[in-house]
Amino acid sequence: MKVMVTGGAGYIGSVVTEELLRGGDEVVVYDSLYKGHREAVVEGAAFVKGDLLDTALLRETLAHHKVEAVVHMAADSLVGESVKVPAKYYRNNVLGGLSLLDAMLGAEVKYLVFSSTAAVYGEPAKQPIEETDPTQPTNPYGETKLAFERALRWYDSAHGLRFVSLRYFNAAGATERSGERHDPETHLIPIILQAAAGQRPEVTVFGDDYPTPDGTCVRDYIHVVDLAQAHILALHALAKGHPSSIYNLGCGGEGYSVKQVIDCARRVTGRDIPVSKGPRRAGDPAVLIASSARIVRELGWRPTQQKLDTIVESAWRWMQRKR
Ligand SMILES: NC(=O)c1ccc[n+]([C@@H]2O[C@H](COP(=O)([O-])OP(=O)(O)OC[C@H]3O[C@@H](n4cnc5c(N)ncnc54)[C@H](O)[C@@H]3O)[C@@H](O)[C@H]2O)c1
Ligand SMILES: O=c1ccn([C@@H]2O[C@H](COP(=O)(O)OP(=O)(O)O[C@H]3O[C@H](CO)[C@@H](O)[C@H](O)[C@H]3O)[C@@H](O)[C@H]2O)c(=O)[nH]1
């Protein structure tokens, strides 16, 4: 297929691009580079520098490259920031998304795979979380992702635009080529590895009084390559007539606490990792674990790198190579 990846200069987008190209699909990356990196765009993909709000350029890109499907990953995605500046999230994640849909209708592109998030569930009533559980976001990031997901349903019924929305849990790890590089970095695993590498003095644990076995937050970490593979399955299913669907994406199991992730990184790197205790971070649910049974059942998705050690090792190897 000919696929446009918005946000393809970012962390997950570059890995999705790699996997699409490896599987024989053609890719055009559309990214403003306002957060991503030009060198993260995979060789072999076409690149267009542009903003989501530029509907005309999006439409021209879709038409010029004869795009058949879009993977929409460009977004703002920091929970804490979204609480402080909700307008930025409504503008980029909702208005930017609608601009993309307008361009897709104009260019008659009918398939979309969307990067949604576990943040649409808010503080879940039970674990593991299923797609049928209530969606009650506790921050503007989750709210704007849910708003766009809901818009997709109406665009499907009105215009036949078919979508798969993938609600990722915590993406982590790297390929040989692509890894996580945000500035500033807010994600736990790269922060821990930066501390292991001596690039920051310590890791602050945000709260150790949660109702979890060791008091720290528990998350479901999924290897970025397993995540990328789900996009490919989704795209190919849509092309074969699969109806619009929503899927969780995580490894399930018991998840890992912040303390367990730090211990894992100590094991993997063999380095000392200084830790300090800090207050809870606003908007953090205690536990987020996915049931991915639906995507396993319907699309045949299977995670292949579920061990946290394997995930952290891949991120550490990538970081070492970058130095
Ligand atoms: N990292 C995670 O664990 C996680 C979990 C759930 C969902 N997600 C979602 O996955 C997607 C990718 O996440 P990531 O961690 O790779 O983020 P990232 O910040 O590394 O990549 C996002 C990319 O989108 C681009 N972008 C943002 N706004 C744009 C705009 N208006 N126009 C053009 N380009 C724009 C940025 O320049 C960047 O290259 C996001 O939609 C995010 O909400 C991520
Ligand atoms: O310096 C740090 C950074 C993080 N944490 C904790 O580590 C856990 C994981 O945090 P982080 O890596 O920032 O991920 P999340 O906040 O869980 O959010 C990620 O996962 C969500 C889905 O689960 C997505 O919606 C978000 O986009 C994605 O950033 C949380 O409990 C944080 O409080 C710390 O204790 N110290």
Side-chain angles (χ1 to χ4, degrees):
M1 289 177 96
K2 291 183 179 160
V3 183
M4 182 172 86
V5 179
T6 74
Y11 166 44
I12 306 173
S14 56
V15 178
V16 168
T17 302
E18 257 190 79
E19 294 300 307
L20 281 166
L21 291 173
R22 196 196 312 282
D25 294 307
E26 287 176 45
V27 180
V28 52
V29 165
Y30 186 94
D31 197 303
S32 64
L33 298 183
Y34 115 93
K35 286 202 166 157
H37 313 278
R38 179 63 185 89
E39 64 277 15
V41 177
V42 182
E43 309 73 30
F47 176 64
V48 174
K49 183 169 185 280
D51 195 277
L52 281 178
L53 289 170
D54 191 344
T55 316
L57 181 59
L58 279 167
R59 186 174 165 164
E60 188 187 309
T61 304
L62 293 169
H64 178 75
H65 291 274
K66 300 189 170 53
V67 168
E68 295 161 280
V70 175
V71 177
H72 178 36
M73 314 192 84
D76 281 308
S77 57
L78 301 178
V79 168
E81 181 188 61
S82 79
V83 177
K84 292 190 188 115
V85 269
K88 180 176 178 184
Y89 283 72
Y90 277 89
R91 192 171 303 111
N92 206 13
N93 299 356
V94 180
L95 291 183
L98 295 181
S99 163
L100 171 66
L101 296 186
D102 277 352
M104 287 177 67
L105 293 184
E108 296 182 19
V109 179
K110 294 280 184 184
Y111 306 129
L112 179 82
V113 176
F114 173 55
S115 303
S116 187
T117 166
V120 300
Y121 294 109
E123 192 72 58
K126 66 160 189 48
Q127 307 288 343
I129 305 168
E130 292 172 283
E131 293 85 349
T132 46
D133 287 346
T135 44
Q136 290 164 335
T138 49
N139 54 64
Y141 168 56
E143 193 77 69
T144 54
K145 288 280 181 175
L146 184 62
F148 184 70
E149 218 180 75
R150 288 197 168 137
L152 287 174
R153 286 210 176 284
W154 297 108
Y155 275 69
D156 182 353
S157 59
H159 307 293
L161 190 148
R162 273 190 290 117
F163 70 90
V164 169
S165 182
L166 298 173
R167 292 177 176 168
Y168 315 161
F169 283 60
N170 291 54
T175 66
E176 290 291 308
R177 182 197 178 281
S178 308
E180 186 160 11
R181 186 150 61 98
H182 296 118
D183 188 18
E185 190 52 77
T186 63
H187 289 131
L188 180 65
I189 291 177
I191 283 179
I192 293 174
L193 295 179
Q194 285 171 1
Q199 294 167 10
R200 63 169 73 223
E202 60 182 14
V203 179
T204 304
V205 174
F206 297 150
D208 63 356
D209 57 349
Y210 284 96
T212 59
D214 66 17
T216 66
C217 288
V218 171
R219 293 287 181 274
D220 183 343
Y221 294 90
I222 169 173
H223 196 290
V224 66
V225 172
D226 285 331
L227 196 69
Q229 282 303 327
H231 294 71
I232 289 159
L233 291 173
L235 282 168
H236 294 168
L238 283 173
K240 285 189 197 129
H242 194 73
S244 292
S245 314
I246 294 174
Y247 298 113
N248 285 342
L249 266 183
C251 290
E254 302 294 308
Y256 295 94
S257 72
V258 174
K259 280 189 181 159
Q260 285 176 315
V261 179
I262 295 170
D263 286 342
C264 167
R266 288 189 172 126
R267 238 180 359 257
V268 164
T269 64
R271 306 272 179 97
D272 180 36
I273 301 175
V275 170
S276 68
K277 269 203 285 188
R280 289 183 177 196
R281 190 173 66 178
D284 270 350
V287 181
L288 287 174
I289 296 180
S291 161
S292 301
R294 186 189 275 183
I295 190 165
V296 168
R297 191 172 62 243
E298 294 186 10
L299 298 188
W301 178 74
R302 291 271 182 289
T304 60
Q305 307 187 61
Q306 281 161 290
K307 282 203 182 124
L308 187 63
D309 284 49
T310 314
I311 296 175
V312 171
E313 249 163 46
S314 71
W316 179 241
R317 270 200 311 273
W318 182 80
M319 238 178 101
Q320 297 295 96
R321 271 196 304 277
K322 283 279 143 194
R323 295 182 81 198

